[in-house]
Amino acid sequence: MYYIATFHGTFAFIKPWSAVRDGETFSMQFLTPSVIEGIEKKLFPELLQQSGIKKILRHKLTYDSTSPQQEVIQAKSCKKPKTNLREMSIILRNVLLNPTLLLAFDNAEDAKTAATQHICLCRNEDIMLPEAEIATMTEEEFNALDGYELRFGQSDKSFLVGYNRFDNSAPMYGWIEYNGNKIL
């Protein structure tokens, strides 16, 4: 049985794992293992000294649409002689509009603890607030829910999804499972 804590926000940004400087970088539609681990460490600070995901079993992310936002970026330390200036440019990144995130736990206490706190996907200003009620469902019912989920690990469907900031930048792999209408 899964115990589900549900979070809603007005908008949320998911930082791409590679900073592509091609003028337009789209936000991913899935959460990497390090993002889920960061959310878990925020919800359960007693896990800060442990590596890996310990309590969040699964997740599903849905949203209404995306909105392109301009972002000013600076190049890595490109210091010119006798100056401290770094080159700047503008890229477009998409923000998720009206995101909903479901977090599945194996016990009601962890879900209740999660549902008393806010979370952020990747930026502190993108706050998502919890619903008070905890849902219960089977794994099959959870699988049938609409949304994106990155299933973590290596399989014949896996691809590199980033580098884990909690594990010495170790490569992270996974494959996307999606149910519902495609979101553009």
Side-chain angles (χ1 to χ4, degrees):
M1 187 62 74
Y2 286 166
Y3 299 88
I4 311 299
T6 302
F7 297 84
H8 300 282
T10 305
F11 59 90
F13 172 76
I14 302 175
K15 186 173 183 169
W17 65 274
S18 63
V20 179
R21 308 293 192 235
D22 63 357
E24 189 168 327
T25 303
F26 289 99
S27 184
M28 289 190 217
Q29 292 99 358
F30 58 87
L31 302 176
T32 64
S34 64
V35 171
I36 294 294
E37 186 172 349
I39 290 170
E40 184 178 84
K41 287 181 183 340
K42 190 273 179 204
L43 295 172
F44 304 98
E46 66 273 14
L47 299 176
L48 281 170
Q49 301 307 316
Q50 299 179 35
S51 67
I53 300 167
K54 307 294 184 199
K55 294 182 180 258
I56 299 173
L57 301 177
R58 305 268 306 272
H59 67 280
K60 289 272 182 144
L61 176 66
T62 60
Y63 53 94
D64 290 345
S65 63
T66 61
S67 173
Q69 306 289 310
Q70 289 187 337
E71 181 177 339
V72 176
I73 59 167
Q74 290 184 324
K76 275 190 168 181
S77 186
C78 296
K79 293 181 181 176
K80 295 180 180 178
K82 298 187 181 190
T83 69
N84 249 351
L85 297 176
R86 295 189 300 172
E87 297 295 324
M88 294 174 46
S89 54
I90 296 173
I91 63 172
L92 292 177
R93 294 189 190 219
N94 280 355
V95 171
L96 308 178
L97 298 179
N98 301 314
T100 296
L101 178 64
L102 304 168
L103 298 178
F105 298 90
D106 67 359
N107 67 73
E109 285 306 310
D110 287 341
K112 288 176 186 173
T113 298
T116 63
Q117 304 174 64
H118 75 279
I119 62 169
C120 306
L121 294 184
C122 287
R123 289 195 309 203
N124 291 337
E125 64 268 23
D126 299 352
I127 293 175
M128 297 180 72
L129 299 174
E131 287 183 2
E133 190 172 323
I134 301 301
T136 57
M137 61 185 67
T138 65
E139 183 176 5
E140 293 75 24
E141 291 169 325
F142 188 83
N143 290 342
L145 295 173
D146 287 352
Y148 289 94
E149 180 179 18
L150 181 73
R151 300 300 301 267
F152 307 147
Q154 290 192 346
S155 75
D156 58 340
K157 300 182 274 186
S158 294
F159 56 95
L160 180 67
V161 298
Y163 297 94
N164 194 332
R165 65 178 182 237
F166 295 110
D167 188 18
N168 297 317
S169 298
M172 298 181 294
Y173 295 91
W175 66 96
I176 295 175
E177 290 183 356
Y178 177 76
N179 290 332
N181 296 323
K182 290 190 177 180
I183 303 167
L184 303 174

